[in-house]
Amino acid sequence: MAKFIFVTGGVTSSLGKGIIAASLAKLLQARGLKVTIQKFDPYINVDPGTLNPYEHGECYVTEDGAETDLDLGHYERFLNIYTSQANNVTTGRIYQTVINKEREGAYLGKTVQVVPHITDEIKRRMLLLGNKGYDVVITELGGTVGDIESLPFIEAVRQLQWELPEEDCLVVHLTLIPYLRAAKELKTKPTQHSVRMLSQEGVHPDIIVCRTEEQLSPEIRKKVALFCNVKPEAVIEAADAPTIYEVPLAMMREKLDLICLRKLKITNYADPDLTKWKEFLDKLKYPKAKVTIGLIGKYIELQDAYKSILEAFVHAGAVNECKVNIVNVHSEFITEENVAEKLGNLDGLLVAPGFGLRGIEGKITAVKYAREKGLPFFGICLGMQMSVIEFARNVLNLKDAHSTEMNEKTPDPVIDLMETQKEVTAKGGTMRLGSYPCEIKKGTLAETIYGTTEITERHRHRWEFNNAYLEKFEQAGMVASGKNPETGLVEIVELPNHPFFIGVQYHPELKSTVENPHPLFVHFIKAAKESVEKKEVSKTPHLQSEMI
């Protein structure tokens, strides 16, 4: 049976429970332990698949097709392992399971209550991964201590603290120690109240991790320890870091992993091997070049809406020893008149995924600019579909070409609803989700990027390239360089006569990690870097003569 670590949060949301959980898991993994992380979210939705990105950030899709919380992306990026449906549980899924059991008669006529029935189901799912061969299972509890919707999860942890052997269960509480600039001092009272509230629910934290802008003095640590009933060494400083990837090293300096190992009475561990992680950080902190990439989307006000894309750029930038500056461009406000002004100073263009009509014409205009100006272009999911529509309109001269998602009556539906989706009416969990194979055509840019002709990638879509138009597209120069081997669904399109122009139906950003940056992002940044170098050469006459 595995050991269990529970990570709770207090005072405010967005303190970074997911990053702390992932960092602790990384350190334990680096010491040779087999670790996984799961996230329990208190909202009533069965999963985040139907949520607007403005509500909850991006929806992260796992290999097995689960639509999950974006924190699972952090877990995969840090640990370089796959997560699954079992790693993300919501209140909605818990209640759905219990209600279905009640309808089946599983409770033998008993009154179904929050305690014990809901809490028993929560505990069952919390312990589920403990039998899968892991040494440690870390469970992050979403929300903030004191929230009404979080109470059943806290109660389940209380019961597990009582039921499990003392050395098999540990609670880490993440809290805030604010710095009052007017008074020029750190205040511990919010942390004290947060721990008191948690203790009132019967859960006593073993370790307190304190988010702070300023360094914690020994006096502050002792004060927190005294009033929160933990040892001073169990008060951990989590200062703001320039990048989330520095947090594991900061937690190692604070000995968070060693304290956990000691409390869990784990003795068979090695010194942490973070060689690759440190090499990545060195390249990230000391780049030799710089590129500016335009992110064309319609949810740009909330960065979490494109979290995996932004992190994939960080990974690819480090590989290329290149700082990637992201310029957010709202697709709603791009027009033929201002497109050159908005995109003229960019070194590459990524058109992001999304759903619905809003901002579509701006994305199509941006694709046209990239295609005509030779600007490195990368389209993901809807971005790929926009590149197909743009090509149909401006190269094939199908002026009213569109997707039936936006215009059901278009005379040229170059993007159409998948056959398997035409009878689907329910919205939740019914898209083409998860990992599917793709065969890549030899001699293409896609083959150069991947170095193979057989790949698998993760999907989340209902619409696809309409193969009735494929011959016209290929005759005009757009190559379908990747297809699903079973259905013939077009997965990748590219333009061979362009410096770098590729669109993919899947979501490559979901598989990019620190140790395995995704090759599409790596080659896209490489192309943008080469574009910068060419611009510099063209601006400097003596460099041109030297090259000649």
Side-chain angles (χ1 to χ4, degrees):
M1 193 71 172
K3 308 275 187 177
F4 294 90
I5 298 175
F6 297 95
V7 180
T8 61
V11 182
T12 180
S13 59
S14 302
L15 285 182
K17 290 191 300 296
I19 301 300
I20 292 296
S23 298
L24 174 56
K26 184 67 197 174
L27 293 176
L28 296 177
Q29 185 191 61
R31 289 183 178 275
L33 299 175
K34 193 176 180 187
V35 188
T36 190
I37 320 181
Q38 53 188 350
K39 173 79 181 285
F40 279 66
D41 275 308
Y43 48 77
I44 307 296
N45 303 66
V46 173
D47 61 44
T50 55
L51 287 173
N52 188 305
Y54 287 131
E55 289 278 328
H56 206 68
E58 77 171 0
C59 175
Y60 188 83
V61 179
T62 58
E63 282 285 297
D64 63 350
E67 294 177 292
T68 68
D69 186 80
L70 62 81
D71 274 327
L72 268 72
H74 290 312
Y75 306 162
E76 290 202 7
R77 285 188 283 273
F78 275 56
L79 298 180
N80 202 37
I81 61 170
Y82 290 154
T83 55
S84 69
Q85 179 70 73
N87 293 77
N88 191 202
V89 180
T90 67
T91 294
R93 192 173 293 281
I94 296 289
Y95 272 83
Q96 186 182 58
T97 302
V98 171
I99 290 167
N100 287 343
K101 281 184 179 179
E102 186 274 331
R103 292 289 83 190
E104 292 163 5
Y107 300 116
L108 300 174
K110 288 187 178 292
T111 303
V112 179
Q113 296 175 290
V114 174
V115 181
H117 301 97
I118 295 297
T119 51
D120 281 354
E121 179 61 21
I122 292 171
K123 287 191 294 179
R124 185 185 73 81
R125 289 178 180 264
M126 283 179 169
L127 299 176
L128 203 58
L129 293 174
N131 298 315
K132 304 291 184 183
Y134 295 106
D135 299 309
V136 179
V137 176
I138 299 177
T139 303
E140 177 195 347
L141 300 187
T144 307
V145 169
D147 293 347
I148 292 172
E149 57 263 38
S150 299
L151 288 175
F153 293 121
I154 299 296
E155 171 60 17
V157 173
R158 183 194 71 79
Q159 291 181 24
L160 286 174
Q161 267 192 319
W162 178 69
E163 292 169 8
L164 294 173
E166 194 173 330
E167 66 273 14
D168 284 358
C169 182
L170 182 148
V171 176
V172 176
H173 188 55
L174 176 64
T175 182
L176 176 69
I177 297 191
Y179 179 73
L180 299 186
R181 298 203 177 279
K184 292 185 178 161
E185 61 179 330
L186 291 161
K187 289 295 183 183
T188 64
K189 195 63 73 178
T191 291
Q192 292 178 43
H193 283 303
S194 179
V195 172
R196 184 177 300 166
M197 196 175 295
L198 187 61
S199 297
Q200 283 172 350
E201 301 302 330
V203 175
H204 304 288
D206 300 281
I207 298 169
I208 297 172
V209 179
C210 304
R211 279 298 306 273
T212 176
E213 294 178 56
E214 302 290 329
Q215 190 173 357
L216 299 183
S217 65
E219 291 75 22
I220 291 283
R221 289 180 192 250
K222 285 179 184 175
K223 187 176 181 181
V224 171
L226 176 65
F227 287 105
C228 297
N229 204 30
V230 297
K231 298 291 184 185
E233 61 267 23
V235 178
I236 304 295
E237 176 186 295
D240 294 350
T243 167
I244 60 172
Y245 299 108
E246 288 189 25
V247 178
L249 299 182
M251 292 302 98
M252 186 168 70
R253 288 192 294 272
E254 288 287 311
K255 299 180 179 171
L256 174 61
D257 54 332
L258 288 173
I259 296 167
C260 289
L261 289 166
R262 190 164 63 245
K263 286 184 177 290
L264 294 173
K265 295 186 179 176
I266 297 173
T267 55
N268 56 332
Y269 59 85
D271 290 334
D273 180 9
L274 291 166
T275 308
K276 287 184 180 178
W277 195 271
K278 289 176 180 176
E279 287 173 0
F280 161 78
L281 270 177
D282 283 342
K283 289 180 179 179
L284 182 63
K285 286 159 75 173
Y286 306 108
K288 296 176 182 175
K290 182 173 74 172
V291 296
T292 302
I293 303 295
L295 176 61
I296 315 298
K298 59 181 181 180
Y299 307 117
I300 60 171
E301 296 90 344
L302 182 69
Q303 288 298 284
D304 277 355
Y306 302 115
K307 191 65 182 172
S308 291
I309 290 174
L310 296 176
E311 298 307 325
F313 275 132
V314 173
H315 308 154
V319 172
N320 285 286
E321 297 184 81
C322 175
K323 180 175 175 56
V324 181
N325 289 326
I326 304 296
V327 175
N328 294 311
V329 185
H330 204 303
S331 56
E332 268 195 286
F333 308 122
I334 299 175
T335 64
E336 289 283 358
E337 291 72 33
N338 66 17
V339 64
E341 178 191 342
K342 286 185 177 290
L343 310 184
N345 294 321
L346 301 176
D347 306 314
L349 193 70
L350 184 142
V351 177
F355 294 92
L357 182 62
R358 184 170 65 91
I360 288 301
E361 292 302 324
K363 287 186 175 183
I364 293 170
T365 302
V367 174
K368 181 185 177 188
Y369 181 86
R371 181 179 59 80
E372 292 181 343
K373 300 295 182 182
L375 185 66
F377 168 83
F378 185 11
I380 296 177
C381 198
L382 184 68
M384 171 267 204
Q385 295 176 3
M386 294 304 100
S387 70
V388 169
I389 294 169
E390 188 281 325
F391 194 85
R393 289 182 183 180
N394 299 309
V395 178
L396 299 182
N397 210 29
L398 304 174
K399 295 301 180 185
D400 295 315
H402 220 311
S403 166
T404 54
E405 180 184 3
M406 293 87 194
N407 180 3
E408 290 182 5
K409 297 179 180 177
T410 175
D412 290 298
V414 291
I415 301 294
D416 200 6
L417 190 64
M418 299 170 66
E419 281 299 321
T420 53
Q421 290 286 322
K422 289 183 178 176
E423 302 301 319
V424 173
T425 54
K427 299 294 183 190
T430 57
M431 283 187 268
R432 183 172 183 252
L433 294 165
S435 184
Y436 287 90
C438 172
E439 283 187 358
I440 294 174
K441 190 181 288 187
K442 288 186 176 179
T444 59
L445 174 61
E447 191 202 14
T448 301
I449 289 170
Y450 280 98
T452 182
T453 57
E454 293 182 3
I455 61 168
T456 59
E457 291 284 2
R458 298 183 198 175
H459 297 70
R460 185 174 184 251
H461 65 106
R462 297 186 197 277
W463 279 263
E464 65 176 339
F465 184 99
N466 187 343
N467 280 343
Y469 291 85
L470 182 55
E471 191 177 339
K472 286 183 180 179
F473 272 85
E474 296 208 313
Q475 285 174 352
M478 179 173 273
V479 175
S481 55
K483 293 180 184 178
N484 181 280
E486 294 174 10
T487 64
L489 182 147
V490 174
E491 298 276 14
I492 310 172
V493 295
E494 59 182 71
L495 293 177
N497 60 350
H498 190 282
F500 188 97
F501 190 104
I502 194 163
V504 296
Q505 182 59 73
Y506 47 82
H507 289 263
E509 72 275 16
L510 301 178
K511 291 179 78 167
S512 185
T513 70
V514 169
E515 293 185 18
N516 288 303
H518 199 285
L520 274 168
F521 282 87
V522 171
H523 281 78
F524 176 55
I525 295 304
K526 183 183 176 186
K529 193 175 163 187
E530 289 169 355
S531 175
V532 171
E533 290 166 358
K534 285 177 184 174
K535 286 178 192 173
E536 288 173 352
V537 168
S538 65
K539 287 178 186 174
T540 316
H542 74 272
L543 284 177
Q544 283 181 305
S545 60
E546 283 176 17
M547 289 182 75
I548 293 166

